[in-house]
Structure formats: structure tokens, C-alpha cells
Amino acid sequence: MNRPRLAFLDASHGDENTRRNFRRELDADLVEYDVTEGVLPDHFDYDGIVVTGSASSVYWDDEWIRALVSYVAEADDRGIPLFGVCFGHQVVAEALGGSVDDMGAFELGYNQIRRTTTDEGDDLLAGIGERFTVFTSHGDTVVELPSGADLLAENEYGVHAFRRNHAFGVQFHPEYDTKTAEHIARSKDFLPDEQIRSVLDGISSENYDAACETKRLFDNFVAYVNDVRSASANRAA
């Protein structure tokens, strides 16, 4: 089977790290769209859709955000596999009928996440431990899951992973390398200096190596997309 063809909906406002990180981790053919410039696919002829992180908030009254949420909602109606990361995770939640809000705090740096289920049948977190290390960077959170969604992982800041049917979202950043983590930490100049210094001190090879466990998510999603493709082809045969 050929590599899956994924719509890559880049909401990063041109952050040079985003394309590099996702292209390194996803074993798929990515067709890129700069959604912050209002560029979205004019069709749904993709095997799956990936939505990236962003400096924006899903609840802002921006035309490109409304258009993105609408596109993702229609893709879900069509049964296309979805994978959202950070802001993308919140977009997927909003598109499926959930809600997102400012959490009144900012979670930044390497942190621990707890799986709410260790079901080995889970398609996204398969092969990942009950507790795992991730890099986080967010001030918003999913405050209400979409109807029918399953909570997959959380910590004291709230929802960190969920699934509903073919749609998946993770609040953390499995795609980050240490270069990106440091760049993101230094960009949060609205946070106290001591918090930034603590986060920078935590960007170590030990923490990065631990967080690499979650890179398995990308292979898991691609495998899931391929399974959906195969099932669709078998039905059409």
C-alpha cells in the first residue's frame, strides 16, 4: 500500500519548526495548507487530516479559525481520520461539539501525563505507558469533551488526549525536539522569568529521551489511517 496522503493544516503562523517536526515524524505524504492565511483544501480527498498547534485560541472571533473548525467538522462527518495537536486538539474538540476555554494558568515544559485507560486496543496510545513524559505549552484547555468522546489521558491541568470514532486529539506536543522546546519556552515572555528559567533547565537529554515515547503516536495514527483505507477499499471491492 502506498503511503497515506494527509492534509496538513498548519496553524502555526509560519513557525519554521512546525513543518520540520511533523515532516520528520509522519510517514505520510503531507499536502500543506497555511490555514492562518485562510488557505484550506477545497475538497476532502485525503486519507487523513492533521491540525497543528498555534499561538491563537480556538474561541477567538477570527474568520480563519471559524473556517478551520467548519472544515474539520465536515471532515469528521465524512468519516475522515483526524489528528489534532495542542491548538489542533482543541479545534477537533470544538468541531465535534466540545468546548475550549482559558484555564487561567499556563502549562509549559516537560510534565507527566496519566492514561485514563491502559486498553491495548486503543489505537492512538497503544504501546505507551500508564504514566508518560511530554512537553506541554498551552493556556487553553478542553473543558467539555464532545458527546460520545472517550478521555484517554489527563493531568492536573485537564484533558490531554481524547478520541471519538475516527477523531483523535492530544494537548501536548509529541513532535517537539529540544530546539523547538527551547524556542517555545523563550518565546513565552509574558510568564515570570523564574518559570522560564525552570522550564529551560528541564530541557535535558534525559527528559527529551523520556518524551520520545510519545512519538509512537504518529506511527499509530498512520497505521490507523491505513486500516481505515484498507477497510474502505475492501467495502468498495
Side-chain angles (χ1 to χ4, degrees):
M1 180 177 290
N2 295 330
R3 297 204 312 172
R5 187 167 178 263
L6 306 180
F8 180 70
L9 307 186
D10 185 356
S12 70
H13 297 275
D15 183 350
E16 64 180 15
N17 293 301
T18 299
R19 292 174 64 252
R20 173 176 56 81
N21 286 332
F22 278 93
R23 283 197 168 277
R24 181 186 63 241
E25 302 300 340
L26 281 166
D27 185 17
D29 294 329
L30 304 185
V31 183
E32 299 177 14
Y33 296 89
D34 185 348
V35 297
T36 61
E37 293 295 324
V39 181
L40 280 165
D42 59 3
H43 60 85
F44 293 89
D45 187 21
Y46 293 103
D47 300 310
I49 294 170
V50 175
V51 190
T52 75
S54 180
S56 298
S57 291
V58 172
Y59 47 78
W60 288 357
D61 188 25
D62 290 356
E63 176 57 34
W64 72 266
I65 296 175
R66 294 195 298 271
L68 173 60
V69 171
S70 294
Y71 181 85
V72 170
E74 184 168 351
D76 181 67
D77 288 343
R78 292 168 179 259
I80 300 172
L82 304 169
F83 182 37
V85 174
C86 197
F87 170 83
H89 149 89
Q90 296 163 12
V91 166
V92 173
E94 187 84 13
L96 274 56
S99 59
V100 177
D101 204 354
D102 186 334
M103 63 187 186
F106 203 94
E107 185 183 21
L108 181 67
Y110 287 106
N111 289 292
Q112 288 286 306
I113 306 298
R114 179 182 64 85
R115 288 182 64 173
T116 57
T117 174
T118 55
D119 181 4
E120 282 304 313
D122 176 70
D123 294 287
L124 189 67
L125 299 182
I128 293 174
E130 182 177 355
R131 298 187 69 87
F132 54 95
T133 300
V134 298
F135 193 90
T136 61
S137 177
H138 67 113
D140 297 330
T141 191
V142 174
V143 294
E144 183 178 355
L145 285 170
S147 177
D150 294 320
L151 176 66
L152 302 181
E154 64 182 355
N155 70 0
E156 65 272 21
Y157 288 94
V159 176
H160 265 280
F162 77 93
R163 173 191 186 173
R164 193 182 80 179
N165 299 327
H166 296 316
F168 304 88
V170 296
Q171 181 61 70
F172 52 90
H173 286 277
E175 80 278 15
Y176 276 11
D177 52 21
T178 55
K179 174 184 175 182
T180 308
E182 182 175 347
H183 169 76
I184 291 298
R186 293 188 184 280
S187 73
K188 307 303 181 186
D189 53 8
F190 55 87
L191 294 174
D193 289 345
E194 58 270 22
Q195 183 178 354
I196 300 299
R197 284 196 297 271
S198 176
V199 170
L200 290 171
D201 288 344
I203 301 175
S204 63
S205 57
E206 181 180 4
N207 280 331
Y208 174 70
D209 288 346
C212 281
E213 177 184 19
T214 62
K215 293 183 183 295
R216 184 186 299 266
L217 299 179
F218 294 106
D219 288 341
N220 288 346
F221 179 68
V222 169
Y224 183 82
V225 168
N226 283 330
D227 287 345
V228 171
R229 277 205 300 168
S230 294
S232 178
N234 288 338
R235 286 193 300 269

